[in-house]
Amino acid sequence: MDRLRRSSFYKYFGVYLFLFVLGAMVLFPMVIAVSQSFMTNQEVNRWPPKVIPTEPTLDAYRQVLTQQDLRLDLWLRNSLFAASGHTLAVLALCAPAAYAFARLRFPGNKILFAFLLATIMLPSQVTLIPNYLLMRDLDWLDSFRALIFPGAANVFGVFLLRQFFMQIPQELEEAAVLDGASYFGRFRHVILPLSMNAIMALAIFVFLGHYNDLFWPLIVTSSLETRTLPVGLTILNQSYAGQYRPMILAGAVLSTLPILIVYIVFQRRIIKGVTMTGLAGR
Amino acid sequence: MYQTNARVAKPGLLSQILSPSLKTREAIAAYIFLAPFLIFFSIFFVRAVILAVEYSFYDWRLLRPTRPYIGLENYIELFEDEVWWTAVQNTFVFTIMTVIGTTIVALAAAIAVTQPVRGQGFFRVLLYMPSLFSVGAVGLIWVWLLSTQFGVINYGLSFLGIRPINWLGDPDLVLPALSLTTIWWSFGFPMLILIAGLQGIPEQLYEAARIDGANGRQLLFNITLPLLRPAILFVTVTGVIAHFQVYGQTYIMTSGGPGRASYSVVYYLYQMAWVAFRMGYGAAVAVAIAVIMALLTTLQFLFISRRVEY
């Protein structure tokens, strides 16, 4: 392998070239967003466009964080809170259900599971209007409950966890039965600890999906205090795009920073988790 | 202590498993495990789907006190609405362009990243990065990159002698521009799936082919692509389903414009239900979208089950 590597630069020159070009194309929009967020409005609205600010300024960041009608810090907290709550709800509902489907014999196991799988065919849009009206009738509009609970019964989550639970050797559970463990004890002390990888993978997948969702939070939240980051960004865009462009870029940068930091720290785990959940979908 | 208990319990265990009382207990336990999920699923999915169909037969406007039953009127109006058909066409065009684009980029990236080159891990992490962005951030950044007057993309093209292009304001260019944005944003996931697919191809196949004198191109077309076919199909069909639901890019970058040139079906639903507050008509739109998507998903299942023949 090492010999191959040393002699391989010329052999794989085309591959390197392609990766550098693609990498540059991926990075370029981010670099522009970051560097122009340190410019003044005048410098950004200039032809030819500049990549490096002549006099870097934090003006855009100051403005985006101090406007009365923008609450980026609060929106970030809301997004993190709602996405975490939703993820926990998904895990709390899906893991026990997946255990029942994977391990327990009960009348209707197969039919019920087949029915759940078939519902994956229907897109979530079909539930939007009835669920929105339900939120209104429950007086849940503009609250975290509306962001956390609908959609928490995630069929894909059950499917994914069931696959993993079924792979755990039956003998391990039998040992727990001999120790007098109840069904809950077996689930809690045997199955869960052995499937932490799958659970983490599902958690990452669900969290990212919810954190970046726009449609549902857009329709169920209305006050400045309950908006989430993606919705907040659209508000920022509508109110300030014409006035002070670097603010928009600063907002985009600030909103992406937390998730990017988490990504860089846990890159392996996240990439593995996303791959794992993706492959299970096959 | 447990050990002694276990020894005593063991002979009884087999007979217990076979006894009907344990069977009943197991079933009861199963239903308890399932109950929370099924309650939520019934309320937020089953109930919602049934009600969506029901609402679609009513002229229900949120701001009006009455909601008369109107039979199939909503569906008839939908079928006669040119804007709906524009939205359907736009969505298909966008989906096809985006899926082809993401699959090609993802495939090339996956093959490149699995070659024995330095920095594989680095490139994998870098190339997946845009997928973590929210559609909000992606939209705001790309609106600016695509700006006619001050956009960096037009600046780059000016070196090729191309005059500034009004990407998001030209009805013929707005869908390709949104598609380009989306490809940048979302090729990471199919790339990861294809990488996993490539890693599943046994190295011996390549070695054997090389001994037989096969060149790189032959390896690609005779080994890699045929064996990767299931994974490619998978990312294509899941891509179709994901991109058919395009909404955020339209909402943030174009508001469906210019005119109706970038209306997507989900954007149309949003306009009808939450801008015009027509819940009944919106429900009919949602049902129509669900029917189209169910057909697309059925195609997916057909494709994937065909994989077994390979």
Side-chain angles (χ1 to χ4, degrees):
Chain A
M1 197 65 187
D2 208 42
R3 181 177 50 84
L4 205 146
R5 282 234 163 117
R6 238 177 287 138
S7 68
S8 70
F9 182 79
Y10 293 103
K11 194 176 159 202
Y12 290 101
F13 180 74
V15 175
Y16 281 109
L17 187 68
F18 173 77
L19 283 175
F20 276 106
V21 170
L22 189 65
M25 282 161 77
V26 162
L27 265 180
F28 186 67
M30 306 185 208
V31 170
I32 291 290
V34 171
S35 77
Q36 293 206 342
S37 70
F38 290 107
M39 292 182 185
T40 61
N41 200 35
Q42 291 88 318
E43 194 170 18
V44 158
N45 289 305
R46 193 177 286 169
W47 188 269
K50 282 181 126 175
V51 179
I52 314 279
T54 32
E55 277 176 68
T57 165
L58 285 171
D59 211 35
Y61 288 90
R62 205 173 302 128
Q63 291 222 41
V64 88
L65 290 171
T66 53
Q67 294 293 337
Q68 289 285 308
D69 55 344
L70 299 176
R71 300 292 307 274
L72 244 60
D73 54 330
L74 188 61
W75 295 337
L76 170 65
R77 241 181 300 156
N78 289 348
S79 275
L80 292 175
F81 182 75
S84 311
H86 179 75
T87 306
L88 287 178
V90 169
L91 296 181
L93 295 179
C94 294
Y99 176 69
F101 281 124
R103 286 295 221 235
L104 302 179
R105 283 161 304 174
F106 60 93
N109 185 330
K110 281 192 179 136
I111 297 169
L112 194 56
F113 189 68
F115 168 72
L116 289 183
L117 274 191
T119 63
I120 289 185
M121 260 206 268
L122 293 175
S124 63
Q125 283 87 12
V126 74
T127 65
L128 286 172
I129 289 176
N131 280 344
Y132 168 78
L133 293 168
L134 178 66
M135 296 297 107
R136 191 192 61 160
D137 296 340
L138 290 172
D139 210 13
W140 280 14
L141 282 183
D142 213 23
S143 80
F144 280 115
R145 279 164 298 187
L147 293 173
I148 290 174
F149 294 119
N154 186 323
V155 176
F156 178 69
V158 174
F159 175 74
L160 178 84
L161 293 181
R162 174 180 166 271
Q163 298 283 91
F164 278 93
F165 294 170
M166 288 198 311
Q167 288 165 11
I168 297 170
Q170 199 87 45
E171 293 79 43
L172 293 171
E173 258 192 281
E174 276 160 18
V177 175
L178 297 182
D179 286 350
S182 62
Y183 289 108
F184 181 75
R186 285 147 63 175
F187 170 64
R188 168 80 184 74
H189 297 293
V190 179
I191 299 292
L192 282 189
L194 287 172
S195 33
M196 277 331 271
N197 275 340
I199 288 173
M200 277 305 291
L202 177 64
I204 290 166
F205 203 75
V206 170
F207 183 93
L208 288 176
H210 192 278
Y211 183 87
N212 287 335
D213 187 26
L214 175 65
F215 199 120
W216 183 250
L218 184 67
I219 60 179
V220 296
T221 64
S222 52
S223 66
L224 221 50
E225 285 72 33
T226 49
R227 295 295 201 182
T228 59
L229 259 185
V231 184
L233 287 182
T234 69
I235 297 172
L236 166 67
N237 187 40
Q238 282 154 11
S239 314
Y240 293 97
Q243 283 182 40
Y244 203 87
R245 180 65 62 174
M247 271 175 76
I248 312 295
L249 299 172
V253 171
L254 283 177
S255 78
T256 311
L257 216 50
I259 208 103
L260 223 48
I261 291 169
V262 173
Y263 177 59
I264 286 162
V265 175
F266 297 105
Q267 33 171 290
R268 255 158 218 245
R269 185 135 219 164
I270 291 176
I271 285 192
K272 241 191 184 160
V274 173
T275 311
M276 204 161 146
T277 39
L279 289 178
R282 294 162 74 179
Chain B
M1 186 191 146
Y2 277 133
Q3 278 175 349
T4 48
N5 272 351
R7 254 181 228 123
V8 177
K10 200 166 187 178
L13 187 70
L14 258 178
S15 59
Q16 258 189 39
I17 286 172
L18 296 171
S19 78
S21 77
L22 194 83
K23 230 173 148 183
T24 323
R25 270 176 48 204
E26 186 169 340
I28 292 170
Y31 292 129
I32 293 172
F33 276 102
L34 283 170
F37 179 89
L38 289 181
I39 291 169
F40 271 74
F41 188 73
S42 310
I43 296 171
F44 293 113
F45 193 86
V46 179
R47 173 188 175 279
V49 171
I50 294 168
L51 284 182
V53 175
E54 190 196 326
Y55 294 166
S56 72
F57 298 119
Y58 289 86
D59 183 16
W60 183 357
R61 291 162 202 250
L62 217 47
L63 307 173
R64 268 194 218 157
T66 60
R67 45 173 162 135
Y69 176 81
I70 53 167
L72 289 172
E73 288 284 311
N74 283 327
Y75 290 100
I76 294 168
E77 184 184 341
L78 181 66
F79 270 79
E80 287 173 352
D81 186 6
E82 263 175 55
V83 180
W84 162 252
W85 292 112
T86 309
V88 171
Q89 192 192 331
N90 290 342
T91 311
F92 271 103
V93 170
F94 171 85
T95 304
I96 292 166
M97 282 192 299
T98 310
V99 169
I100 292 174
T102 36
T103 307
I104 290 172
V105 176
L107 184 60
I111 291 174
V113 148
T114 47
Q115 300 301 309
V117 293
R118 276 170 203 277
Q120 284 181 341
F122 167 78
F123 279 110
R124 204 171 302 189
V125 169
L126 172 67
L127 298 181
Y128 186 69
M129 208 178 265
S131 303
L132 297 161
F133 284 44
S134 78
V135 66
V138 172
L140 299 193
I141 293 170
W142 276 80
V143 162
W144 185 234
L145 297 177
L146 290 164
S147 150
T148 318
Q149 244 187 314
F150 306 113
V152 191
I153 290 176
N154 276 347
Y155 180 59
L157 292 175
S158 72
F159 289 105
L160 304 173
I162 297 170
R163 306 178 122 266
I165 295 171
N166 189 1
W167 293 102
L168 298 174
D170 183 327
D172 293 328
L173 292 176
V174 64
L175 290 178
L178 290 179
S179 188
L180 182 71
T181 307
T182 310
I183 293 167
W184 179 83
W185 180 34
S186 65
F187 80 89
F189 178 67
M191 177 188 75
L192 293 184
I193 301 298
L194 293 172
I195 289 173
L198 285 167
Q199 286 167 340
I201 299 176
E203 184 61 34
Q204 296 96 295
L205 288 179
Y206 291 105
E207 279 162 21
R210 271 193 214 102
I211 290 167
D212 291 345
N215 61 30
R217 176 178 301 230
Q218 284 168 327
L219 294 180
L220 177 68
F221 283 102
N222 295 328
I223 297 179
T224 308
L225 291 183
L227 286 174
L228 208 55
R229 186 171 171 268
I232 294 172
L233 268 178
F234 174 73
V235 299
T236 313
V237 283
T238 50
V240 167
I241 287 160
H243 296 303
F244 198 82
Q245 306 183 44
V246 57
Y247 165 75
Q249 298 92 307
T250 315
Y251 178 79
I252 291 159
M253 298 175 70
T254 64
S255 306
R260 302 270 160 68
S262 63
Y263 255 65
S264 70
V265 289
V266 177
Y267 188 75
Y268 181 82
L269 168 66
Y270 174 79
Q271 288 293 318
M272 292 305 145
W274 286 281
V275 177
F277 294 115
R278 297 182 61 189
M279 294 294 146
Y281 187 69
V285 176
V287 171
I289 293 173
V291 169
I292 299 175
M293 300 266 305
L295 289 175
L296 289 175
T297 320
T298 312
L299 286 181
Q300 171 188 21
F301 282 128
L302 288 179
F303 270 129
I304 286 180
S305 59
R306 196 183 290 171
R307 170 179 68 154
V308 181
E309 292 165 22
Y310 268 77

